[in-house]
Amino acid sequence: MKPTNFFIKDIKEFQSANKNLKNIFNTNKELPHQVFNQRCDYYLFEEFYWVMCEDFWPTVQYLTKIFNEKEVTVAVLDPHPTDYFYKEFGYFNYLQLPTSLSSEEYRNVLEIGPEDSPADAPYYHSEKVVWFSSSKKWAIWGERSLDICVIGFNEAVLLDHLMKSPSKWSYLNEDVEDLIGLNFRNMKLPQDFKDSLSKNYAHDRDSG
């Protein structure tokens, strides 16, 4: 299969993927606000650039194997999939990736841009990106300008795998706040941003 075939070209296929996406995410929101439509029992954080690289792909393979799925959708929300991407290039910056891909193939696909504009590849030109599967048992929201992404899920069984090496997924903590803070003036997270992030994503110790 040609790597470019992983991108959605058909409008009805795009609408179907987008419907699933909008069942999971409130695409009008962004961090530190709550971007998940249904509150999850668990939220873990990782660096944005890590989920765009080879090392992340085994995590996707693990998650989809748990829920017996063969495919994952990677969707770029910014730049806009229709107003910009489809209008300019005739296809959508949404990918449907079989989990049989190797880690190297995952990274390579993200680096594929339009023939006339290779810099518009998802790896290089994407501010907001989401990862999800048809089960809706887990989903990831990422924002490049904050260098952060967050995975939401309800099954405690996933915790051990996600939080052990080589992954660095972690609950919202000072390290995560410091990482996001590097993108702000004086490299410090504003208090209102910090408070909102905590309100929406802090781990409830009573839930396990």
Side-chain angles (χ1 to χ4, degrees), residues 56-65 72 99 106 131 138 140:
F56 167 64
W57 190 241
T59 297
V60 170
Q61 292 175 316
Y62 164 78
L63 291 167
T64 49
K65 185 178 181 181
V72 65
T99 57
Y106 167 70
W131 292 255
W138 61 273
I140 298 169

Side-chain angles (χ1 to χ4, degrees), residues 11 35 46 52 62 73 75-76 79 88 92 97-98 107 109 119 130 135 166 176 178 188 190 194:
I11 290 180
V35 297
E46 245 289 6
M52 301 292 278
Y62 164 78
T73 300
V76 179
E88 293 293 327
F92 300 94
L97 303 180
R107 166 66 181 268
V109 169
V130 297
S135 71
V176 172
D178 289 346
K188 184 172 175 62
K194 186 175 179 178

Side-chain angles (χ1 to χ4, degrees), residues 20 33 37 83 85 91 95 97 115-116 133 150 166:
N20 287 333
H33 304 292
N37 283 327
D83 295 352
F85 213 87
Y91 68 99
L95 299 118
L97 303 180
E115 197 170 322
D116 298 334
S133 62
V150 55

Side-chain angles (χ1 to χ4, degrees), residues 48-49 52 122-127 142-147:
F48 179 86
Y49 291 97
M52 301 292 278
Y123 185 80
Y124 303 111
H125 191 197
S126 52
E127 164 55 24
E143 293 186 34
R144 183 186 295 266
S145 62
L146 298 176
D147 188 21

Side-chain angles (χ1 to χ4, degrees), residues 177 180-191 194:
E177 292 170 350
I180 301 173
L182 294 175
N183 302 285
F184 288 83
R185 175 180 281 189
N186 301 325
M187 294 195 288
K188 184 172 175 62
L189 201 60
Q191 190 62 45
K194 186 175 179 178

Side-chain angles (χ1 to χ4, degrees), residues 15 24 30 39 43 60 62 69-70 83 98 101 106 109 140 149 159 172 178 180-183 188 196 203 206:
Q15 289 172 336
I24 301 169
E30 58 186 19
R39 185 160 185 91
Y43 297 107
V60 170
Y62 164 78
E69 296 172 303
K70 306 293 185 188
D83 295 352
L101 291 181
Y106 167 70
V109 169
I140 298 169
C149 60
L159 285 169
L172 181 62
D178 289 346
I180 301 173
L182 294 175
N183 302 285
K188 184 172 175 62
S196 181
H203 177 53
D206 294 332

